[in-house]
Amino acid sequence: MADDGWYEDGDVVREAERARRVAWMGMSVVTCLFGAVVLAVAAVGLAVILALAYAMAVMD
């Protein structure tokens, strides 16, 4: 690589590795948050269904 004063060869590789780590961390955080939201929605849905089933059973 030409020595233009910006990067040495090792710096480019190090920066690329750091960028990959940051991207991987970002994707992991987003995936975790998405999973938490899905589980929360499922729990609320289950609670509503069970409450309706209980209310219908008590009505009889």
Side-chain angles (χ1 to χ4, degrees):
M1 186 168 153
D3 185 17
D4 55 5
W6 287 96
Y7 285 109
E8 296 293 328
D9 287 336
D11 291 340
V12 173
V13 172
R14 217 174 7 258
E15 282 291 318
E17 288 173 357
R18 189 182 75 73
R20 268 194 297 274
R21 276 195 312 271
V22 169
W24 186 260
M25 259 320 225
M27 288 187 300
S28 296
V29 168
V30 168
T31 302
C32 247
L33 291 175
F34 180 73
V37 168
V38 167
L39 287 176
V41 168
V44 168
L46 182 62
V48 168
I49 289 171
L50 289 175
L52 288 174
Y54 177 75
M56 289 176 65
V58 170
M59 279 178 123
D60 279 337

